Amino acid sequence: MLNFNTLSSTILSSEKISMRTMLLLFTLLFNVHAMAQEAVMDIVFDLDWTLLYPLKDKPNSKFSRVIEASDELYRIADGTEDILLRLHEMPNVRISFYSGGNTPRNIEALKKIQLANGQNAFDIAYKILNVSDLAPISNDESLPFTQRFKKDLTRINSDISRVILVDDSKNFVLPEQYRHQLWLGKTYNYYESFNEVPGIKDNYDPPNLKEWMRERNKLYSVYEAILEVYVKKELPNAIEYLPKELPFSGPCNLHFH
């Protein structure tokens, strides 16, 4: 592939090109070159409890947006398709997925998340990483999985200055990458309506209507948080504008009704 300097020399050496055409070509090349130099943002999404709710039982007829992958059922989180498409259409944004699940399950699930433009989540992925891409940091099997293994964001981009991981597991990245994770905060089981939440709750049931609504709106809040960084992405410290967890104090103009 010819680079900017090579193309420029080619234009200058041409004897048959008009001055006006030459100026137009230089303008085009300059703009393309400038766009290539703009900062790229890598947005990385976890899957389970972030974009997908694992379902214990076969849902009743009231449940919507349920998919099956590797013989397991999942409910797609509210806003998933909308937010992925919005981010995909933003200049200089790449979307990846980094899950502790296995490759066949991850790919099957992503292919079933259909976007409004006719593509699916698999189609727009820059990278899809799975359990084999986790970095082992401890052999102590008494520790929880997320303390024995971590996600290494350099596997998305060796320059992690503009890499953001959205995950429900706190600090599921290498310690030196903590600032690059947007933690969703406390996450809960999926319920189609708050009236379905059992009276006797466990730790994964939303304790009140406010928390149930926050769970349903979490990806819209993620989108607003990412925008805070995106508008400042040319700054060397752009990641400092990323909230450490949700909810955050920024506005949320999009939400689940």
Side-chain angles (χ1 to χ4, degrees):
M1 181 180 292
L2 293 175
N3 60 29
F4 179 74
N5 293 329
T6 302
L7 287 171
S8 300
S9 299
T10 301
I11 293 172
L12 287 172
S13 64
S14 175
E15 297 178 356
K16 296 182 180 180
I17 192 168
S18 70
M19 181 59 69
R20 181 176 179 179
T21 302
M22 185 180 295
L23 289 173
L24 288 173
L25 285 172
F26 265 121
T27 301
L28 176 62
L29 287 173
F30 178 82
N31 290 336
V32 170
H33 182 67
M35 288 177 63
Q37 299 304 309
E38 288 183 13
V40 172
M41 276 185 62
D42 284 291
I43 312 300
V44 188
F45 286 94
D46 172 51
L47 289 183
D48 297 289
W49 302 105
T50 299
L51 299 183
L52 301 172
Y53 294 97
L55 298 177
K56 297 178 182 178
D57 305 307
K58 186 174 181 179
N60 58 40
S61 59
K62 293 188 294 183
F63 269 50
S64 60
R65 305 173 66 244
V66 173
I67 63 172
E68 182 176 343
S70 294
D71 298 322
E72 299 290 339
L73 294 175
Y74 303 90
R75 203 278 185 178
I76 303 172
D78 293 298
T80 294
E81 301 92 337
D82 182 28
I83 299 310
L84 290 180
L85 184 56
R86 286 173 181 266
L87 292 172
H88 173 63
E89 292 179 341
M90 290 165 60
N92 297 298
V93 169
R94 298 186 298 204
I95 297 174
S96 295
F97 302 95
Y98 203 159
S99 166
N102 60 60
T103 299
R105 192 290 304 251
N106 293 345
I107 291 176
E108 184 178 2
L110 290 172
K111 286 183 175 180
K112 291 183 177 180
I113 299 176
Q114 298 294 323
L115 309 184
N117 68 348
Q119 295 180 292
N120 57 52
F122 176 82
D123 295 331
I124 67 170
Y126 169 59
K127 290 185 178 181
I128 300 172
L129 304 185
N130 55 72
V131 63
S132 65
D133 297 299
L134 297 175
I137 62 171
S138 174
N139 294 320
D140 185 353
E141 295 189 359
S142 67
L143 293 175
F145 182 80
T146 57
Q147 292 182 26
R148 291 186 289 123
F149 298 91
K150 297 292 182 181
K151 295 178 181 180
D152 180 4
L153 298 182
T154 64
R155 298 190 179 188
I156 299 293
N157 190 337
S158 59
D159 175 10
I160 67 167
S161 61
R162 296 177 184 84
V163 178
I164 296 173
L165 171 68
V166 180
D167 206 310
D168 69 289
S169 296
K170 190 174 185 180
N171 297 334
F172 198 10
V173 289
L174 295 173
E176 63 270 22
Q177 299 173 5
Y178 282 170
R179 191 64 190 92
H180 295 265
Q181 179 180 349
L182 175 55
W183 180 46
L184 294 177
K186 178 71 173 177
T187 55
Y188 303 101
N189 292 321
Y190 175 79
Y191 292 98
E192 194 82 5
S193 72
F194 183 67
N195 292 333
E196 296 178 4
V197 180
I200 300 177
K201 304 175 179 61
D202 64 28
N203 290 333
Y204 298 100
D205 290 333
N208 51 55
L209 179 61
K210 181 179 178 181
E211 284 297 283
W212 176 80
M213 284 295 295
R214 184 180 69 79
E215 178 70 33
R216 299 294 294 264
N217 284 321
K218 64 185 180 183
L219 292 181
Y220 294 106
S221 295
V222 164
Y223 177 72
E224 296 286 348
I226 290 172
L227 287 184
E228 294 281 314
V229 181
Y230 181 78
V231 297
K232 302 176 178 69
K233 68 180 183 303
E234 301 296 335
L235 301 177
N237 65 335
I239 202 69
E240 293 301 318
Y241 294 90
L242 181 73
K244 294 184 178 179
E245 65 181 84
L246 294 181
F248 73 110
S249 58
C252 186
N253 299 316
L254 304 169
H255 57 88
F256 162 79
H257 295 283

